[in-house]
Amino acid sequence: IVVTLAIGGLLAAQTSGKHKSGVEQQPFGTRDGRPVTLYKLTNSHGVEVHAMNYGGIILSIRVPDRKGQFADIVLGHDTMEGYIPNPPYIGAIVGRYANRIANGTFTLDGKTYTLPKNDGPNTLHVYKRQTFDKVVWEGEPLEDKTGVAFSYLSKDGEEGFPGNLKVKVTYTLTDGNALIIDYEATTDKATPINVSQHSYFNLKGEGNGDILEHEIMINADRFTPVDKNLIPTGELRPVKGTPLDFTKSTKIGARIDDNYEQLVLGHGYDHNFVLNDKPDQNGLKLAARVHESTSGRVLEVWTTQPGIQFYTGNFLDGTVTGKQGHVYKRRYGLCLETQHFPDSPNHPKFPTTILKPGETFHQTTVFKFSAK
């Protein structure tokens, strides 16, 4: 973990002796003949994060509201089996390439690679058998912090990608009520990589209605508009004067159904925002802030990544039954997927996603929870 300094107090420890912090683990079933383990991270304030080594999935995040009442603020399931097959990618690590690759192809060093198509003509997160959200990772609790490290070897040719890719994703819960997610990877062949976390948040508590009254600020003056297949056109368009302007905190539902081409194409918000690049000394920049007024809960997202995909659960259709029998309907959760831009292997002007032998891929995202 490279993030150890405070970000304006972001990761600073707070004093509280009410709860015993640490990591607990328990068997949680089997998948492909391998044991699945559930890890419970608890900090000194009683904030909890539950994650399992199947798909690196975050099952639960319990945080207090302004009155100190705890609720689980991420969509999910009560059992491991509930996540099979998990078409909305609820809570999962997604990769090798998070988001879309046009026509399921890219060319690297003169060779064209073909990927599984699972989103019309496109590849989306690669929703197949051997992808990050579908495999059992190696799990190891951290010795010196409240956290767990998940490791996986994605073999050369897996889902069409080149290179043996060694991946490590670490979840660390701090006493500053921040969940730090560190991504690391190395490869023996040049390959695209774009890894993200696909949790759906509802700060009222999962299953408690839609997220349209949540207010969001996204620290981005530009976004990457998409075509009819939701593939970036290559333009970096200013958000000013569009319904995608969240430079000032705005209710998600205020403009979501406007007759604006990009919203029509995405069935709401499903867009990559180009983050304003003003990092702190740790390389982290504030990407987004979400506030839910009835509970007072606040979620801040800090990241080293150049972009963030804001997705409003437009394709949740009531067919997913989650925890305690809660039915997840359209826009019942929002995703803030920190990432490189979609389809970057086919857009040379976008920040590169190519990892080469001898290099280390390293990105960090922080979810910071509070209430006001």
Side-chain angles (χ1 to χ4, degrees):
I1 306 299
V2 297
V3 183
T4 54
L5 301 176
I7 311 165
L10 182 68
L11 306 181
Q14 300 173 20
T15 56
S16 172
K18 292 182 179 179
H19 301 270
K20 183 179 179 181
S21 60
V23 183
E24 301 175 37
Q25 58 189 81
Q26 66 183 64
F28 205 57
T30 59
R31 182 65 173 160
D32 298 327
R34 299 188 60 197
V36 175
T37 302
L38 180 67
Y39 298 87
K40 175 184 173 184
L41 315 181
T42 307
N43 75 2
S44 63
H45 306 288
V47 170
E48 296 178 4
V49 175
H50 296 214
M52 64 176 165
N53 61 322
Y54 174 64
I57 290 171
I58 293 175
L59 294 86
S60 172
I61 300 177
R62 293 183 54 83
V63 299
D65 63 9
R66 69 166 68 91
K67 298 179 181 178
Q69 300 298 310
F70 281 76
D72 184 356
I73 60 165
V74 292
L75 277 56
H77 301 278
D78 295 317
T79 65
M80 185 269 292
E81 289 78 13
Y83 292 91
I84 303 170
N86 194 17
Y89 306 92
I90 291 175
I93 299 170
V94 287
R96 282 190 189 190
Y97 201 95
N99 218 306
R100 293 173 174 88
I101 294 180
N103 301 310
T105 62
F106 65 90
T107 300
L108 178 59
D109 295 335
K111 182 178 179 179
T112 298
Y113 294 87
T114 302
L115 313 173
K117 296 179 181 179
N118 63 324
D119 180 55
N122 308 319
T123 297
L124 173 63
H125 305 319
V126 198
Y127 179 65
K128 293 290 180 179
R129 184 68 170 164
Q130 288 294 319
T131 50
F132 291 3
D133 60 304
K134 295 283 181 297
V135 297
V136 178
W137 297 56
E138 297 291 335
E140 186 70 33
L142 303 184
E143 293 184 359
D144 54 344
K145 296 177 182 176
T146 301
V148 59
F150 296 125
S151 301
Y152 175 63
L153 172 61
S154 177
K155 294 184 179 179
D156 185 24
E158 191 169 278
E159 303 302 340
F161 286 95
N164 292 295
L165 187 75
K166 294 181 179 180
V167 188
K168 182 179 179 182
V169 180
T170 306
Y171 297 148
T172 306
L173 179 62
T174 77
D175 277 339
N177 294 348
L179 174 62
I180 306 171
I181 306 174
D182 271 319
Y183 306 93
E184 293 184 19
T186 57
T187 184
D188 60 3
K189 289 183 185 177
T191 186
I193 180 173
N194 192 25
V195 191
S196 193
Q197 221 295 328
H198 209 289
S199 286
Y200 289 73
F201 293 95
N202 187 323
L203 299 185
K204 289 184 289 188
E206 60 82 29
N208 284 336
D210 62 45
I211 44 79
L212 297 179
E213 292 296 304
H214 287 51
E215 295 182 5
I216 188 168
M217 183 283 298
I218 301 176
N219 186 22
D221 295 330
R222 298 172 297 169
F223 73 103
T224 52
V226 295
D227 63 17
K228 65 180 181 179
N229 292 319
L230 302 183
I231 293 295
T233 63
E235 177 189 359
L236 303 183
R237 184 180 299 176
V239 299
K240 189 174 183 179
T242 79
L244 284 83
D245 186 352
F246 290 102
T247 52
K248 293 182 179 178
S249 190
T250 305
K251 286 187 177 181
I252 291 172
R255 303 174 301 224
I256 197 169
D257 292 320
D258 282 11
N259 186 25
Y260 179 66
E261 179 196 32
Q262 289 296 305
L263 293 180
V264 174
L265 289 170
H267 303 277
Y269 297 107
D270 190 5
H271 294 81
N272 171 67
F273 288 77
V274 181
L275 294 173
N276 296 333
D277 198 17
K278 294 181 180 179
D280 68 1
Q281 69 269 28
N282 296 307
L284 291 159
K285 49 188 172 278
L286 178 63
R289 181 185 294 111
V290 184
H291 175 238
E292 200 285 305
S293 60
T294 59
S295 66
R297 291 189 182 95
V298 176
L299 165 63
E300 286 185 359
V301 183
W302 295 72
T303 190
T304 57
Q305 296 268 30
I308 189 168
Q309 185 85 5
F310 176 41
Y311 172 55
T312 46
N314 311 315
F315 296 106
L316 294 174
D317 57 6
T319 59
V320 175
T321 300
K323 302 166 192 169
Q324 302 175 54
H326 293 157
V327 176
Y328 297 143
K329 300 179 183 179
R330 190 177 190 221
R331 297 171 178 166
Y332 265 43
L334 65 93
C335 298
L336 292 166
E337 305 157 59
T338 56
Q339 59 176 15
H340 274 60
F341 304 166
D343 200 33
S344 288
N346 295 312
H347 289 273
K349 293 184 179 179
F350 285 180
T352 185
T353 56
I354 304 303
L355 178 66
K356 298 178 181 179
E359 299 176 344
T360 299
F361 170 88
H362 190 198
Q363 300 287 348
T364 300
T365 291
V366 180
F367 292 129
K368 165 67 177 175
F369 307 101
S370 61
K372 66 178 184 179

